[in-house]
Every structure is written in structure tokens, then in C-alpha cells.
Amino acid sequence: MCYIELNPLEPMKPTTSQTFRVRAFAGDYFVVCRRGVLREAARHIARLGRFSSVHILSSSRVWRGVGKKVLRGIPQRRNVHIHLFDDSEIAKTLTTVEAIARKLVRAGADRKSLLIAVGGGVVGDVVGFVAASYLRGVALVQVPTTVVAQVDSAIGGKTGVNLPEGKNLVGAFYPPSLVLVDPEVLATLPPREFRGGLAEVIKYGVIADPKLFAFLERNMLAILGRDNGALEHVVRRSIEIKGDLVSHDERESGLREMLNYGHTFAHALEAATHYRKFQHGEAVAWGMMCAALLGHETVNTPADDVARIIALVRQIGPLPRWPVVPAEKLFDLMRSDKKTKFGKVRFVLSPRLGSAKSYEGVTEKAAISVLRFGPQLILQSLKPLRNADD
Ligand SMILES: NC(=O)c1ccc[n+]([C@@H]2O[C@H](COP(=O)([O-])OP(=O)(O)OC[C@H]3O[C@@H](n4cnc5c(N)ncnc54)[C@H](O)[C@@H]3O)[C@@H](O)[C@H]2O)c1
Ligand SMILES: [Zn+2]
């Protein structure tokens, strides 16, 4: 079986435990993760240089929740502009990019202007793409306000928008100059968004860090109660893991693929239900539990690891039911996923907690069997699974 290993990573040393350096082709950048960091935003931004004007881009929903906090750190002056736009997934389009660019022109933004994206993954992806293309590139600071954005989308420089034909089909790699992560802004995040985002945090534990996984097992209740200390710890560790992966593989040639743990299943679930039934993290939650079972079937993931993954994922809360769709149809959707290479479905599996590999040789039979019987097994499996040879 063909695989790419995650572990031979030479870890990038954080500058401090709350500041992480991420390597990118266009220059390294820092991610600062600390409670209250937004209050010092102006000081961090000043280190980037002088800007002719500053344009804060956000949505009205996000701004209602976090606007005051942001403005405490970036006082409103004559050359600070605020532009709000629709951050729903259906508005993640080239039309929105054009509307924002035109607003920027009217507000006098030039090559020396700075854009600050304040919001979840949609705001980050759209504003990132605007920053990549407006006047062929202007400086960008990301201020992520969802769990997904803090631990995933704001780090790594992927930006882009959707087309009617599919998600994220037009975009660019465009690293930010700085990312400011304040776990306090998660206080106003709607519960479903918050819980879904935790699936991505669990993913980091499964693919790269058994200690993070064990911390999540011990502290999930505090995290679900949005305890700032626990949240800060898991967000930081997730950033560090993602930062390491993208620093070694910005263009997604190998290592970065590990981030797709659970995602092959998740994309099929999302596509089969026309992106209406599952919030992305919820689909990833189901996907990780299926990937754990497939790991047990095909690469001898210990039964105890599988049971722990399922139990932890189930702690993040109730998930929408598995859809009534034939397993073969779900498998066909996996085959047509844009990440499939040369028609072969690749699965990222975890042979043991804290490590992951990408496998090309998983048989169709094994995958379909998990799709057919997995959901029922998962629902029944609050007790540890038994090894087939026990
Ligand atoms: N670029 C990448 O590497 C990458 C990685 C993962 C996901 N993404 C993209 O990210 C998007 C999903 O992002 P998301 O999960 O952050 O969701 P989102 O951006 O859709 O935000 C979810 C909802 O929460 C609201 N919201 C955000 N922050 C809030 C806050 N602090 N208080 C109150 N409300 C708040 C938003 O207005 C929105 O209604 C998708 O489009 C996906 O394609 C990109
Ligand atoms: Zn994801």
C-alpha cells in the first residue's frame, strides 16, 4: 500500500508559546494566539510597517458580536474604514469579490493599504482572495472569529470563492502578513458552529498529537462550556500543528494531505445532501468516525483507538442523522471528489492515535462496507470495540 508519512516533521520552534511562525513562499508570517490579543492589535500591526489606509472587512453578524472588541484594539481614525458584506456560503462568490474591490476603490485603497479580515472561514477566504488580486496584491491581516477559522482556514494562505459548479474552484495561495487569534471572540459564536469546529480540533489530535487528544478527552465538558483557558490551549496546539504542516508543504504536495483525515467521507456526505443537512464540521465528525473504522479494517488501527475516537467525537454533541443514501452512491461521490487523483480514492487513515498516513490501496469493498455498516456500529459503540481476533 502506498503512503506518505506525517511523522518525519522537523518541528518548527514557536517564537514563544503563543506566537507561531509559519513559512510561506511569499515570506514567513506570525500567528499570535492569546486571550485579549485584539486589545493590542494596533501594536502588532504597527510592526508590519506603515499603511496609507486600513480597511476592516467583516459581516454584520460577526461585527455585532466582535466589532467593539476589534475597535478597542484598532481605534477608528480618518484612514480606518469598515466595510461589511454578506458572509453566507452562497455569497462566497466572484460577485462579492467584485463588490468589495469596488468599495475599496471608492474608499481610496491603494497598494500601500492594509486589509483586515474579521470573521469566519467565508470572510477569510473572500477577503484573502480580494487581497491577493486587488491591485495585484495588498497586505492582509486575518482576525479569525470561528473555531474553524482560528484552527484551520486563517492559517496556510488558501483563499478563494465558489462557482455554481463547485466549492472553492477559483482562488489563490496568498499568505497573510499576520494572524491575530483571540479565543475570547468565540463567546458569541452560535452553538452549532462552535461544536462543528471542534471536530477539526479533534482531527489534529488524531493525526498528530496523542497528548492533545487526551487533553480533549479530559476537558471536553469545559471546552463545550467555552472555558477560555481550555479553549486557548487547544486552539494554540491546533494552530501549531497546522502551521507545521503548511510550513513544510504550502502547496499541498503531500504532508498537507493529512489534514484531510475524515474529509473524504465528509465531502461525500455533504455532496449527497446538497450541502444542506450537515454543517462542514458535523460531516467531518461522521467522516472521522468512519475513517477510524476503516483504519481498523485495513491498517490495524487498534480497537481501543477506534473506540476512543468515536467516543470523543460523539462528545461534541448530537449530529444530524446519517442520510438514507446507498453506500455505493456515497462511494461514487468520493471517486468524483476533486482531491481524487487519477480516479483513485485516497484515504487518510490513522494507524495509531497521533499519526496519519495517506493510503491509495484501500479496496472499494472495505470502504463500501464501512459506509454501509459503519453508522450503525458507531451509534452502538459507546462501549469499546473488540478486536476481530479477541
Ligand atoms: N482556506 C482554507 O484553508 C479553509 C479551510 C477550512 C474551511 N474553509 C472555508 O471556510 C468556510 C467555513 O468557515 P466557518 O466554519 O468559519 O464558517 P462561516 O465563516 O460560514 O461562519 C459561520 C457563521 O458564524 C458567524 N460568525 C462567525 N464568527 C462569529 C462570532 N465570533 N460571533 C458570532 N457569529 C459569528 C458567521 O457570520 C456565519 O454566519 C467554508 O467556506 C470553507 O470552504 C477554508
Ligand atoms: Zn475541514
Side-chain angles (χ1 to χ4, degrees), residues 127-381:
V127 177
F129 189 55
V130 171
S133 47
Y134 185 72
L135 301 177
R136 300 198 179 82
V138 292
L140 168 71
V141 170
Q142 291 276 10
V143 177
T145 63
T146 62
V147 179
V148 167
Q150 296 196 340
V151 304
D152 190 358
S153 59
I155 297 137
K158 276 205 213 170
T159 73
V161 293
N162 304 331
L163 292 179
E165 287 74 16
K167 271 181 58 106
N168 301 321
L169 292 182
V170 176
F173 281 97
Y174 191 72
S177 301
L178 174 71
V179 185
L180 295 175
V181 180
D182 189 340
E184 281 179 8
V185 300
L186 301 177
T188 54
L189 194 59
R192 200 171 162 195
E193 300 298 335
F194 181 78
R195 288 189 285 106
L198 293 179
E200 304 280 358
V201 174
I202 294 175
K203 178 187 79 181
Y204 291 117
V206 175
I207 65 168
D209 186 359
K211 276 197 197 142
L212 171 63
F213 192 91
F215 182 91
L216 290 165
E217 287 180 312
R218 286 195 308 276
N219 295 283
M220 190 48 91
L221 273 182
I223 292 167
L224 287 169
R226 305 200 195 190
D227 174 89
N228 273 322
L231 264 178
E232 186 178 54
H233 176 75
V234 298
V235 169
R236 266 189 201 161
R237 187 61 195 119
S238 303
I239 290 171
E240 195 175 10
I241 294 167
K242 173 130 194 206
D244 268 354
L245 280 169
V246 301
S247 292
H248 287 81
D249 179 23
E250 190 180 17
R251 299 290 172 134
E252 218 168 30
S253 56
L255 282 176
R256 200 168 171 159
E257 200 181 341
M258 302 311 144
L259 297 166
N260 276 341
Y261 183 77
H263 281 61
T264 311
F265 288 99
H267 291 152
L269 286 179
E270 290 177 296
T273 53
H274 310 284
Y275 297 88
R276 289 202 199 104
K277 186 175 170 113
F278 296 94
Q279 193 262 359
H280 173 69
E282 293 167 343
V284 172
W286 269 119
M288 289 193 296
M289 296 190 285
C290 289
L293 289 173
L294 188 60
H296 185 56
E297 278 297 303
T298 56
V299 296
N300 292 325
T301 309
D304 187 49
D305 286 4
V306 178
R308 285 176 67 191
I309 293 170
I310 292 174
L312 183 58
V313 171
R314 295 196 62 189
Q315 271 200 62
I316 65 178
L319 299 173
R321 269 170 213 255
W322 187 269
V324 187
V325 176
E328 290 76 8
K329 166 132 197 254
L330 289 172
F331 188 75
D332 280 346
L333 288 167
M334 288 177 175
R335 247 198 221 123
S336 54
D337 192 271
K338 71 175 177 188
K339 299 230 155 104
T340 301
K341 288 184 192 146
F342 312 116
K344 286 211 163 150
V345 186
R346 297 158 74 89
F347 288 93
V348 176
L349 301 175
S350 172
R352 62 181 187 289
L353 263 181
S355 71
K357 294 173 186 172
S358 172
Y359 295 87
E360 221 171 48
V362 173
T363 63
E364 181 171 338
K365 189 165 163 251
I368 288 186
S369 147
V370 167
L371 288 165
R372 185 169 299 135
F373 305 112
Q376 202 51 37
L377 251 175
I378 287 163
L379 293 177
Q380 292 163 352
S381 72

Side-chain angles (χ1 to χ4, degrees), residues 17-32:
S17 60
Q18 41 188 259
T19 307
F20 308 95
R21 180 195 283 268
V22 181
R23 250 183 243 150
F25 72 101
D28 296 0
Y29 57 94
F30 286 100
V31 182
V32 187

